Amino acid sequence: MTSLDKPTEDAQRDSRAVTEAALFEAFGGLRGMIETVLPGLLFVTIFTINKDLHSAAIAALGVSILLVVVRLVMKDTVKHAFSGVFGVAFGVVFAMMTGNAKDFYLPGMLYTLGLALAYIITTLAGVPLIGLILGPVFKENLSWRTRNPGRKTAYAKASWAWGLILLAKCAILFPLYWWADTTQFGWVLIALKIPPFLLAVWLTWVFLAKAPPPIDVFAEMEAEERAEKEREAAARSAD
């Protein structure tokens, strides 16, 4: 193991200081949560008032598109808003095809179930999904897999937390999808949008705050490039 592989105490303190900001960025922050909740909230509100699937669906799709436009105008990142548009669009298509307003939520539920399984399966395979997501954010890429075992353990714990929390959410929603009416189901789903997400993010922060700091592979590559240039310059001067 090289000196770069051995996290110092100062680096660990710095890592804890930036972990919260990095998680905030990776998962969209407050604005991302609003963009996630608002279309579904608008859908269930309008459907609760007038029981009209078409107007509720059009309003939800319209506001999700508007959120993307706002980000484009502000020249901000659009990945979270775009994912929201696709999710709402699939929901609208499902609901329109079946004529059942509850099907507006079905694609998102299936995505949540698939994501929960992905967290669990990748962790069992030794490549926890949360590490794949956050590695580039922390500029460590996949170095945690072989060079930073404490960090790999933290990512595994975080991925287990995400997988189990999302599975618990699915265990509540799927029975309600069959048994509850559309209005009841919609409000329960909206209520379960943010709290499980915040719990998973908080647990991720707890695990990573206690883990060794990330190995900045980009800094390593830059250092190697500088060293190579210095060797070349030394060789030319020797000639």
Side-chain angles (χ1 to χ4, degrees), residues 51-100:
K51 305 299 181 185
D52 181 53
L53 169 59
H54 290 79
S55 61
I58 291 172
L61 185 58
V63 75
S64 63
I65 294 173
L66 178 61
L67 292 171
V68 172
V69 172
V70 170
R71 280 191 177 266
L72 289 173
V73 170
M74 297 179 66
K75 297 181 180 180
D76 201 355
T77 177
V78 296
K79 62 179 180 180
H80 297 289
F82 263 129
S83 64
V85 168
F86 288 126
V88 171
F90 278 118
V92 168
V93 170
F94 269 66
M96 292 296 188
M97 287 176 59
T98 64
N100 184 352

Tab-separated table of all heavy atoms in Angstrom, residues 51-100:
chain	number	residue	atom	x	y	z
A	51	LYS	N	-61.949	13.827	-9.830
A	51	LYS	CA	-61.980	12.430	-10.285
A	51	LYS	C	-61.754	12.286	-11.789
A	51	LYS	O	-62.176	11.298	-12.403
A	51	LYS	CB	-63.321	11.767	-9.927
A	51	LYS	CG	-63.684	11.843	-8.454
A	51	LYS	CD	-62.670	11.155	-7.577
A	51	LYS	CE	-63.063	11.229	-6.102
A	51	LYS	NZ	-62.021	10.670	-5.215
A	52	ASP	N	-61.072	13.252	-12.396
A	52	ASP	CA	-60.840	13.222	-13.845
A	52	ASP	C	-59.389	12.829	-14.112
A	52	ASP	O	-58.459	13.582	-13.804
A	52	ASP	CB	-61.141	14.584	-14.466
A	52	ASP	CG	-60.939	14.572	-15.969
A	52	ASP	OD1	-61.506	13.700	-16.647
A	52	ASP	OD2	-60.180	15.433	-16.463
A	53	LEU	N	-59.196	11.646	-14.674
A	53	LEU	CA	-57.862	11.124	-14.927
A	53	LEU	C	-57.094	11.993	-15.910
A	53	LEU	O	-55.910	12.286	-15.708
A	53	LEU	CB	-57.967	9.691	-15.453
A	53	LEU	CG	-56.688	9.056	-16.018
A	53	LEU	CD1	-55.597	9.015	-14.953
A	53	LEU	CD2	-56.977	7.661	-16.550
A	54	HIS	N	-57.769	12.427	-16.981
A	54	HIS	CA	-57.066	13.156	-18.028
A	54	HIS	C	-56.513	14.486	-17.529
A	54	HIS	O	-55.344	14.815	-17.784
A	54	HIS	CB	-58.000	13.390	-19.220
A	54	HIS	CG	-58.326	12.148	-19.980
A	54	HIS	ND1	-59.271	11.234	-19.548
A	54	HIS	CD2	-57.818	11.644	-21.144
A	54	HIS	CE1	-59.342	10.230	-20.401
A	54	HIS	NE2	-58.463	10.450	-21.388
A	55	SER	N	-57.308	15.272	-16.851
A	55	SER	CA	-56.829	16.575	-16.374
A	55	SER	C	-55.724	16.400	-15.333
A	55	SER	O	-54.749	17.159	-15.311
A	55	SER	CB	-57.993	17.377	-15.787
A	55	SER	OG	-58.562	16.704	-14.674
A	56	ALA	N	-55.837	15.390	-14.469
A	56	ALA	CA	-54.801	15.146	-13.461
A	56	ALA	C	-53.495	14.740	-14.127
A	56	ALA	O	-52.409	15.212	-13.750
A	56	ALA	CB	-55.268	14.068	-12.486
A	57	ALA	N	-53.592	13.868	-15.133
A	57	ALA	CA	-52.393	13.390	-15.820
A	57	ALA	C	-51.714	14.509	-16.598
A	57	ALA	O	-50.490	14.650	-16.565
A	57	ALA	CB	-52.763	12.239	-16.757
A	58	ILE	N	-52.511	15.324	-17.302
A	58	ILE	CA	-51.947	16.427	-18.084
A	58	ILE	C	-51.269	17.448	-17.163
A	58	ILE	O	-50.189	17.960	-17.461
A	58	ILE	CB	-53.051	17.098	-18.928
A	58	ILE	CG1	-53.507	16.135	-20.030
A	58	ILE	CG2	-52.547	18.404	-19.537
A	58	ILE	CD1	-54.720	16.613	-20.799
A	59	ALA	N	-51.882	17.728	-16.024
A	59	ALA	CA	-51.299	18.686	-15.082
A	59	ALA	C	-49.971	18.170	-14.532
A	59	ALA	O	-48.992	18.917	-14.427
A	59	ALA	CB	-52.277	18.956	-13.941
A	60	ALA	N	-49.922	16.882	-14.184
A	60	ALA	CA	-48.687	16.305	-13.642
A	60	ALA	C	-47.577	16.335	-14.684
A	60	ALA	O	-46.423	16.695	-14.374
A	60	ALA	CB	-48.947	14.871	-13.185
A	61	LEU	N	-47.904	15.970	-15.921
A	61	LEU	CA	-46.891	15.982	-16.974
A	61	LEU	C	-46.459	17.408	-17.285
A	61	LEU	O	-45.267	17.677	-17.491
A	61	LEU	CB	-47.444	15.309	-18.227
A	61	LEU	CG	-46.478	15.132	-19.398
A	61	LEU	CD1	-45.266	14.316	-18.974
A	61	LEU	CD2	-47.180	14.475	-20.584
A	62	GLY	N	-47.425	18.324	-17.287
A	62	GLY	CA	-47.101	19.717	-17.580
A	62	GLY	C	-46.146	20.325	-16.565
A	62	GLY	O	-45.182	21.003	-16.934
A	63	VAL	N	-46.389	20.079	-15.283
A	63	VAL	CA	-45.524	20.673	-14.264
A	63	VAL	C	-44.136	20.027	-14.282
A	63	VAL	O	-43.131	20.697	-14.035
A	63	VAL	CB	-46.167	20.554	-12.855
A	63	VAL	CG1	-46.064	19.134	-12.307
A	63	VAL	CG2	-45.501	21.527	-11.888
A	64	SER	N	-44.054	18.737	-14.620
A	64	SER	CA	-42.735	18.102	-14.702
A	64	SER	C	-41.926	18.675	-15.868
A	64	SER	O	-40.704	18.870	-15.747
A	64	SER	CB	-42.882	16.573	-14.850
A	64	SER	OG	-43.544	16.249	-16.055
A	65	ILE	N	-42.596	18.965	-16.983
A	65	ILE	CA	-41.909	19.603	-18.115
A	65	ILE	C	-41.488	21.019	-17.746
A	65	ILE	O	-40.385	21.473	-18.087
A	65	ILE	CB	-42.811	19.602	-19.363
A	65	ILE	CG1	-43.048	18.163	-19.843
A	65	ILE	CG2	-42.212	20.447	-20.473
A	65	ILE	CD1	-44.053	18.039	-20.968
A	66	LEU	N	-42.353	21.728	-17.040
A	66	LEU	CA	-42.040	23.094	-16.616
A	66	LEU	C	-40.796	23.123	-15.725
A	66	LEU	O	-39.952	24.023	-15.840
A	66	LEU	CB	-43.230	23.692	-15.869
A	66	LEU	CG	-43.044	25.111	-15.309
A	66	LEU	CD1	-42.778	26.095	-16.440
A	66	LEU	CD2	-44.264	25.537	-14.503
A	67	LEU	N	-40.655	22.122	-14.859
A	67	LEU	CA	-39.487	22.059	-13.984
A	67	LEU	C	-38.198	21.889	-14.793
A	67	LEU	O	-37.155	22.458	-14.440
A	67	LEU	CB	-39.645	20.907	-12.993
A	67	LEU	CG	-40.745	21.087	-11.938
A	67	LEU	CD1	-40.954	19.778	-11.159
A	67	LEU	CD2	-40.409	22.227	-10.989
A	68	VAL	N	-38.273	21.123	-15.882
A	68	VAL	CA	-37.102	20.970	-16.752
A	68	VAL	C	-36.781	22.289	-17.440
A	68	VAL	O	-35.614	22.704	-17.523
A	68	VAL	CB	-37.347	19.864	-17.795
A	68	VAL	CG1	-36.214	19.843	-18.817
A	68	VAL	CG2	-37.459	18.507	-17.121
A	69	VAL	N	-37.818	22.963	-17.933
A	69	VAL	CA	-37.618	24.246	-18.620
A	69	VAL	C	-36.966	25.257	-17.685
A	69	VAL	O	-36.048	25.989	-18.081
A	69	VAL	CB	-38.958	24.771	-19.165
A	69	VAL	CG1	-38.795	26.198	-19.707
A	69	VAL	CG2	-39.501	23.854	-20.249
A	70	VAL	N	-37.434	25.295	-16.443
A	70	VAL	CA	-36.861	26.226	-15.465
A	70	VAL	C	-35.386	25.939	-15.264
A	70	VAL	O	-34.549	26.853	-15.218
A	70	VAL	CB	-37.617	26.133	-14.123
A	70	VAL	CG1	-36.874	26.902	-13.034
A	70	VAL	CG2	-39.032	26.666	-14.274
A	71	ARG	N	-35.024	24.669	-15.159
A	71	ARG	CA	-33.608	24.312	-14.990
A	71	ARG	C	-32.792	24.699	-16.218
A	71	ARG	O	-31.651	25.156	-16.101
A	71	ARG	CB	-33.469	22.823	-14.702
A	71	ARG	CG	-33.747	22.447	-13.234
A	71	ARG	CD	-33.329	21.018	-12.969
A	71	ARG	NE	-33.510	20.637	-11.576
A	71	ARG	CZ	-32.554	20.708	-10.649
A	71	ARG	NH1	-31.361	21.164	-10.974
A	71	ARG	NH2	-32.784	20.328	-9.407
A	72	LEU	N	-33.366	24.489	-17.405
A	72	LEU	CA	-32.657	24.851	-18.633
A	72	LEU	C	-32.435	26.358	-18.704
A	72	LEU	O	-31.352	26.821	-19.087
A	72	LEU	CB	-33.442	24.371	-19.855
A	72	LEU	CG	-33.467	22.864	-20.094
A	72	LEU	CD1	-34.429	22.523	-21.230
A	72	LEU	CD2	-32.070	22.341	-20.414
A	73	VAL	N	-33.447	27.129	-18.343
A	73	VAL	CA	-33.326	28.590	-18.372
A	73	VAL	C	-32.265	29.051	-17.390
A	73	VAL	O	-31.482	29.974	-17.675
A	73	VAL	CB	-34.691	29.243	-18.052
A	73	VAL	CG1	-34.518	30.749	-17.838
A	73	VAL	CG2	-35.679	28.985	-19.180
A	74	MET	N	-32.212	28.390	-16.223
A	74	MET	CA	-31.238	28.761	-15.201
A	74	MET	C	-29.881	28.116	-15.444
A	74	MET	O	-28.945	28.297	-14.652
A	74	MET	CB	-31.765	28.362	-13.820
A	74	MET	CG	-33.050	29.082	-13.429
A	74	MET	SD	-33.677	28.572	-11.798
A	74	MET	CE	-32.358	29.187	-10.738
A	75	LYS	N	-29.764	27.340	-16.539
A	75	LYS	CA	-28.524	26.650	-16.904
A	75	LYS	C	-28.040	25.759	-15.763
A	75	LYS	O	-26.845	25.684	-15.467
A	75	LYS	CB	-27.444	27.658	-17.307
A	75	LYS	CG	-27.813	28.471	-18.541
A	75	LYS	CD	-26.720	29.444	-18.928
A	75	LYS	CE	-27.116	30.235	-20.168
A	75	LYS	NZ	-26.060	31.209	-20.579
A	76	ASP	N	-28.979	25.076	-15.141
A	76	ASP	CA	-28.680	24.179	-14.030
A	76	ASP	C	-28.705	22.743	-14.537
A	76	ASP	O	-29.183	22.463	-15.645
A	76	ASP	CB	-29.722	24.362	-12.925
A	76	ASP	CG	-29.233	23.869	-11.577
A	76	ASP	OD1	-28.129	23.303	-11.530
A	76	ASP	OD2	-29.958	24.041	-10.580
A	77	THR	N	-28.186	21.798	-13.735
A	77	THR	CA	-28.215	20.396	-14.135
A	77	THR	C	-29.659	19.918	-14.229
A	77	THR	O	-30.496	20.260	-13.384
A	77	THR	CB	-27.441	19.528	-13.132
A	77	THR	OG1	-27.540	18.162	-13.520
A	77	THR	CG2	-27.968	19.682	-11.726
A	78	VAL	N	-29.956	19.125	-15.248
A	78	VAL	CA	-31.343	18.727	-15.500
A	78	VAL	C	-31.576	17.238	-15.289
A	78	VAL	O	-32.668	16.741	-15.568
A	78	VAL	CB	-31.766	19.100	-16.945
A	78	VAL	CG1	-31.739	20.595	-17.147
A	78	VAL	CG2	-30.885	18.396	-17.979
A	79	LYS	N	-30.578	16.509	-14.773
A	79	LYS	CA	-30.719	15.060	-14.713
A	79	LYS	C	-31.875	14.643	-13.816
A	79	LYS	O	-32.622	13.715	-14.150
A	79	LYS	CB	-29.414	14.401	-14.260
A	79	LYS	CG	-28.941	14.789	-12.871
A	79	LYS	CD	-27.650	14.072	-12.513
A	79	LYS	CE	-27.163	14.436	-11.120
A	79	LYS	NZ	-25.903	13.728	-10.772
A	80	HIS	N	-32.052	15.301	-12.672
A	80	HIS	CA	-33.130	14.917	-11.768
A	80	HIS	C	-34.487	15.304	-12.349
A	80	HIS	O	-35.447	14.544	-12.261
A	80	HIS	CB	-32.930	15.570	-10.403
A	80	HIS	CG	-31.681	15.132	-9.705
A	80	HIS	ND1	-31.543	13.857	-9.184
A	80	HIS	CD2	-30.516	15.777	-9.453
A	80	HIS	CE1	-30.340	13.742	-8.631
A	80	HIS	NE2	-29.704	14.883	-8.787
A	81	ALA	N	-34.558	16.494	-12.956
A	81	ALA	CA	-35.814	16.929	-13.556
A	81	ALA	C	-36.177	16.056	-14.745
A	81	ALA	O	-37.350	15.695	-14.937
A	81	ALA	CB	-35.710	18.390	-13.979
A	82	PHE	N	-35.190	15.689	-15.573
A	82	PHE	CA	-35.464	14.832	-16.724
A	82	PHE	C	-35.947	13.455	-16.274
A	82	PHE	O	-36.864	12.886	-16.883
A	82	PHE	CB	-34.210	14.679	-17.592
A	82	PHE	CG	-34.180	15.621	-18.757
A	82	PHE	CD1	-33.066	16.406	-19.000
A	82	PHE	CD2	-35.261	15.720	-19.608
A	82	PHE	CE1	-33.035	17.277	-20.069
A	82	PHE	CE2	-35.248	16.584	-20.690
A	82	PHE	CZ	-34.131	17.377	-20.925
A	83	SER	N	-35.332	12.902	-15.229
A	83	SER	CA	-35.785	11.607	-14.736
A	83	SER	C	-37.220	11.701	-14.247
A	83	SER	O	-38.007	10.767	-14.404
A	83	SER	CB	-34.871	11.115	-13.612
A	83	SER	OG	-34.935	11.975	-12.494
A	84	GLY	N	-37.575	12.860	-13.667
A	84	GLY	CA	-38.954	13.059	-13.239
A	84	GLY	C	-39.915	13.087	-14.405
A	84	GLY	O	-41.005	12.515	-14.340
A	85	VAL	N	-39.520	13.736	-15.501
A	85	VAL	CA	-40.374	13.795	-16.696
A	85	VAL	C	-40.624	12.399	-17.249
A	85	VAL	O	-41.760	12.034	-17.571
A	85	VAL	CB	-39.727	14.684	-17.783
A	85	VAL	CG1	-40.452	14.505	-19.118
A	85	VAL	CG2	-39.782	16.140	-17.370
A	86	PHE	N	-39.567	11.597	-17.348
A	86	PHE	CA	-39.728	10.244	-17.877
A	86	PHE	C	-40.628	9.406	-16.973
A	86	PHE	O	-41.478	8.654	-17.444
A	86	PHE	CB	-38.362	9.573	-18.051
A	86	PHE	CG	-37.554	10.127	-19.187
A	86	PHE	CD1	-36.251	10.582	-18.986
A	86	PHE	CD2	-38.094	10.218	-20.455
A	86	PHE	CE1	-35.511	11.100	-20.031
A	86	PHE	CE2	-37.357	10.737	-21.513
A	86	PHE	CZ	-36.065	11.186	-21.296
A	87	GLY	N	-40.427	9.539	-15.667
A	87	GLY	CA	-41.263	8.787	-14.739
A	87	GLY	C	-42.727	9.170	-14.846
A	87	GLY	O	-43.605	8.298	-14.883
A	88	VAL	N	-42.999	10.471	-14.909
A	88	VAL	CA	-44.381	10.940	-15.035
A	88	VAL	C	-44.964	10.518	-16.381
A	88	VAL	O	-46.123	10.097	-16.458
A	88	VAL	CB	-44.439	12.472	-14.868
A	88	VAL	CG1	-45.835	12.998	-15.206
A	88	VAL	CG2	-44.071	12.865	-13.442
A	89	ALA	N	-44.165	10.619	-17.448
A	89	ALA	CA	-44.648	10.243	-18.783
A	89	ALA	C	-45.053	8.770	-18.823
A	89	ALA	O	-46.108	8.420	-19.366
A	89	ALA	CB	-43.583	10.533	-19.828
A	90	PHE	N	-44.225	7.898	-18.251
A	90	PHE	CA	-44.583	6.477	-18.201
A	90	PHE	C	-45.862	6.272	-17.392
A	90	PHE	O	-46.726	5.468	-17.768
A	90	PHE	CB	-43.442	5.661	-17.588
A	90	PHE	CG	-42.353	5.308	-18.558
A	90	PHE	CD1	-41.056	5.764	-18.367
A	90	PHE	CD2	-42.628	4.524	-19.663
A	90	PHE	CE1	-40.055	5.442	-19.262
A	90	PHE	CE2	-41.630	4.196	-20.561
A	90	PHE	CZ	-40.335	4.661	-20.370
A	91	GLY	N	-45.978	6.992	-16.290
A	91	GLY	CA	-47.187	6.874	-15.486
A	91	GLY	C	-48.416	7.306	-16.235
A	91	GLY	O	-49.475	6.659	-16.158
A	92	VAL	N	-48.305	8.398	-16.981
A	92	VAL	CA	-49.436	8.891	-17.767
A	92	VAL	C	-49.837	7.873	-18.829
A	92	VAL	O	-51.018	7.589	-19.034
A	92	VAL	CB	-49.078	10.249	-18.423
A	92	VAL	CG1	-50.121	10.631	-19.469
A	92	VAL	CG2	-48.979	11.335	-17.349
A	93	VAL	N	-48.836	7.303	-19.510
A	93	VAL	CA	-49.118	6.307	-20.547
A	93	VAL	C	-49.833	5.093	-19.951
A	93	VAL	O	-50.840	4.622	-20.491
A	93	VAL	CB	-47.813	5.876	-21.256
A	93	VAL	CG1	-48.064	4.664	-22.150
A	93	VAL	CG2	-47.250	7.032	-22.064
A	94	PHE	N	-49.326	4.587	-18.837
A	94	PHE	CA	-49.950	3.429	-18.185
A	94	PHE	C	-51.391	3.734	-17.806
A	94	PHE	O	-52.299	2.939	-18.054
A	94	PHE	CB	-49.157	3.036	-16.933
A	94	PHE	CG	-48.084	2.012	-17.183
A	94	PHE	CD1	-46.988	2.297	-17.968
A	94	PHE	CD2	-48.177	0.754	-16.620
A	94	PHE	CE1	-46.000	1.365	-18.197
A	94	PHE	CE2	-47.186	-0.204	-16.837
A	94	PHE	CZ	-46.095	0.112	-17.628
A	95	ALA	N	-51.596	4.887	-17.169
A	95	ALA	CA	-52.934	5.228	-16.699
A	95	ALA	C	-53.894	5.424	-17.860
A	95	ALA	O	-55.060	4.988	-17.806
A	95	ALA	CB	-52.873	6.491	-15.837
A	96	MET	N	-53.439	6.068	-18.918
A	96	MET	CA	-54.294	6.294	-20.080
A	96	MET	C	-54.638	4.983	-20.782
A	96	MET	O	-55.752	4.795	-21.274
A	96	MET	CB	-53.610	7.250	-21.059
A	96	MET	CG	-53.457	8.665	-20.541
A	96	MET	SD	-55.044	9.469	-20.254
A	96	MET	CE	-54.498	11.143	-19.908
A	97	MET	N	-53.673	4.077	-20.831
A	97	MET	CA	-53.916	2.809	-21.517
A	97	MET	C	-54.938	1.948	-20.771
A	97	MET	O	-55.779	1.294	-21.390
A	97	MET	CB	-52.597	2.034	-21.673
A	97	MET	CG	-51.657	2.615	-22.704
A	97	MET	SD	-50.074	1.717	-22.772
A	97	MET	CE	-50.626	0.060	-23.166
A	98	THR	N	-54.873	1.947	-19.464
A	98	THR	CA	-55.753	1.079	-18.672
A	98	THR	C	-57.022	1.779	-18.220
A	98	THR	O	-58.002	1.125	-17.861
A	98	THR	CB	-55.012	0.566	-17.426
A	98	THR	OG1	-54.688	1.671	-16.568
A	98	THR	CG2	-53.720	-0.151	-17.811
A	99	GLY	N	-56.983	3.121	-18.197
A	99	GLY	CA	-58.122	3.866	-17.682
A	99	GLY	C	-58.217	3.843	-16.170
A	99	GLY	O	-59.188	4.326	-15.593
A	100	ASN	N	-57.182	3.302	-15.511
A	100	ASN	CA	-57.146	3.213	-14.051
A	100	ASN	C	-56.151	4.240	-13.534
A	100	ASN	O	-54.957	4.167	-13.813
A	100	ASN	CB	-56.734	1.806	-13.620
A	100	ASN	CG	-56.783	1.630	-12.109
A	100	ASN	OD1	-56.986	2.571	-11.361
A	100	ASN	ND2	-56.592	0.397	-11.659
